[in-house]
Amino acid sequence: MNLEGLRVMGIDPGLTRCGLSVVQAGRGRAIIPVSVGVVRTPSGHELTERLLRLSKAAQEWMDDYNPDVVAIERVFERGNVSTVIQTAHAVGVLMLAAAERNVPVYSYTPSEVKKAISGNGRADKKQMTAMITRILGLSEAPKPADAADALALAVCHCWRAPALARTQQQGAWPSS
C-alpha cells in the first residue's frame, strides 16, 4: 500500500515540555522531516493556563502544517501518579485539538515506538535520538529529547500506516 505524501504530526505529550513534529511519508520507508519543536509551559502557572497553551500550540501546528493524522504517545503508568494525571490532561487537550479538525489520532506506547525505530523495545533515549537522526538524515540530533520523541512517533506511524490501511480496507479498523 502506497501512502506516499501522508503527513503525520507526532506529539510527545507533556505538561512542562511537549514535543511536536511533522513528517511526510516518501517512497517506501523514506520519511521527509517537515518541522520539529517543543512547547513549554511554566510549572508555576495554573493547570488550566498550561493546558490552554498546549492546546493553542497544537492547533497552530495543525493549521500551519495540515497533518493527515496525529500520532501521540499513549499514557502509561510511570510510577508517579501525579505525573501520569498531568500527562493525561495534556493528552486530552491535544487529542481534542485534532478531533476539532477531524484529524484521526493514533496512540503508541513508548515500547512500540522504540521497537519500530530501533528494533529494540527497550532502547534508551540516546539510542533513539541517534536512530531518528539517521533515519531522517538530519545534520544534528534534535534537542531536547521531547523533540526527538515526537519525530519518532511520527516515523513510527508512517511505517505502520500501510498495515493499518490494509486493516481498514478489510473492515476491522483497530481502536487507537
Side-chain angles (χ1 to χ4, degrees), residues 85-100:
I85 291 171
Q86 287 188 344
T87 303
H89 287 313
V91 168
V93 298
L94 296 163
M95 290 177 89
L96 178 61
E100 289 175 335

Side-chain angles (χ1 to χ4, degrees), residues 10 19 43 52 84 112-113 166:
S43 59
L52 181 60
V84 172
E112 286 175 316
V113 176
R166 283 191 297 276

Side-chain angles (χ1 to χ4, degrees), residues 83-145:
T83 302
V84 172
I85 291 171
Q86 287 188 344
T87 303
H89 287 313
V91 168
V93 298
L94 296 163
M95 290 177 89
L96 178 61
E100 289 175 335
R101 286 158 180 72
N102 295 313
V103 177
V105 177
Y106 293 88
S107 299
Y108 296 97
T109 65
S111 60
E112 286 175 316
V113 176
K114 290 174 182 182
K115 179 87 171 151
I117 302 303
S118 72
N120 176 3
R122 295 178 158 194
D124 63 21
K125 291 253 185 221
K126 186 177 178 182
Q127 183 180 1
M128 287 297 293
T129 299
M131 287 301 296
I132 208 66
T133 302
R134 186 174 347 163
I135 289 165
L136 296 175
L138 302 174
S139 58
E140 59 185 49
K143 291 181 181 170

Side-chain angles (χ1 to χ4, degrees), residues 16-141:
T16 303
R17 285 182 324 274
C18 178
L20 300 173
S21 72
V22 177
V23 303
Q24 189 163 311
R27 290 188 183 264
R29 289 176 57 92
I31 307 290
I32 302 157
V34 176
S35 188
V36 65
V38 173
V39 178
R40 298 174 193 271
T41 68
S43 59
H45 288 199
E46 290 293 322
L47 175 62
T48 53
E49 183 182 330
R50 297 173 77 190
L51 292 172
L52 181 60
R53 185 179 288 195
L54 287 179
S55 178
K56 284 183 176 182
Q59 290 171 23
E60 288 173 10
W61 273 65
M62 288 178 207
D63 292 344
D64 290 348
Y65 297 107
N66 199 27
D68 299 305
V69 64
V70 168
I72 193 166
E73 184 177 284
R74 181 174 292 147
V75 177
F76 68 102
E77 200 280 310
R78 294 182 179 135
N80 183 338
V81 174
S82 174
T83 302
V84 172
I85 291 171
Q86 287 188 344
T87 303
H89 287 313
V91 168
V93 298
L94 296 163
M95 290 177 89
L96 178 61
E100 289 175 335
R101 286 158 180 72
N102 295 313
V103 177
V105 177
Y106 293 88
S107 299
Y108 296 97
T109 65
S111 60
E112 286 175 316
V113 176
K114 290 174 182 182
K115 179 87 171 151
I117 302 303
S118 72
N120 176 3
R122 295 178 158 194
D124 63 21
K125 291 253 185 221
K126 186 177 178 182
Q127 183 180 1
M128 287 297 293
T129 299
M131 287 301 296
I132 208 66
T133 302
R134 186 174 347 163
I135 289 165
L136 296 175
L138 302 174
S139 58
E140 59 185 49

